[in-house]
Amino acid sequence: MTAVELRGGLPGWVLRGAVGLQGLAIAAVLYAEGVTVAPLGLYVVLIGVTAAIPASAAVALVIAYPAVAIVVVGGAPVRPAVLALVALLHLLHLTCAYAALIPTRSRIHPKALRTPALRYLAVQGGVLVLAVVVLLLPGGRTAAAVEVIGLVCAAGLVVGAVALMRRGG
């Protein structure tokens, strides 16, 4: 095994700055979708709190707020803005998690973020594939039997996920 020499790295506060920038990008998407200035002002305040204290409950509000706002605005459920929000909110969630763990006065090496970045890209790739499948599905009424089978399958996925989490992976 070869030794890897790590240089100075980035200051820990860079992650908090990234949280702020990602939050502003989310606010820009919301503004483009028709969210008014007053709710966006409140959202920007929440972003500031989240960037300052990434281990707070403000993170949950910063993630839930755009979902509610995009539903209130209305529109097609699968559209570019919604897909952009999914990717940005997922990235914000990850960045907040790392910013909460890494002290502002410490250093973080970009190589340490490689594996989480690859996982993020894999998840987002799956989301895009699922979005394409949803767009290709025919519209209209679904037969009752198909709906029941879908509900049973969804419940089975939840039970399987809970069983895997209890088992430890």
Side-chain angles (χ1 to χ4, degrees), residues 2-88:
T2 61
V4 176
E5 183 181 324
L6 298 175
R7 297 198 175 103
L10 302 169
W13 59 263
V14 168
L15 288 174
R16 292 173 189 232
V19 167
L21 290 175
Q22 291 164 11
L24 292 175
I26 293 166
V29 171
L30 292 174
Y31 181 74
E33 282 295 298
V35 177
T36 58
V37 176
L40 283 177
L42 176 61
Y43 188 67
V44 170
V45 170
L46 284 172
I47 292 166
V49 171
T50 300
I53 314 167
S56 69
V59 176
L61 292 173
V62 165
I63 292 172
Y65 195 102
V68 173
I70 209 77
V71 168
V72 169
V73 168
V78 180
R79 60 185 188 268
V82 172
L83 295 175
L85 284 175
V86 167
L88 286 169

Side-chain angles (χ1 to χ4, degrees), residues 100-126:
L101 293 173
I102 298 172
T104 55
R105 293 184 180 167
S106 67
R107 307 291 286 178
I108 183 159
H109 298 280
K111 284 189 176 190
L113 300 175
R114 184 172 187 257
T115 301
L118 292 174
R119 281 191 203 126
Y120 168 81
L121 291 174
V123 169
Q124 291 307 312

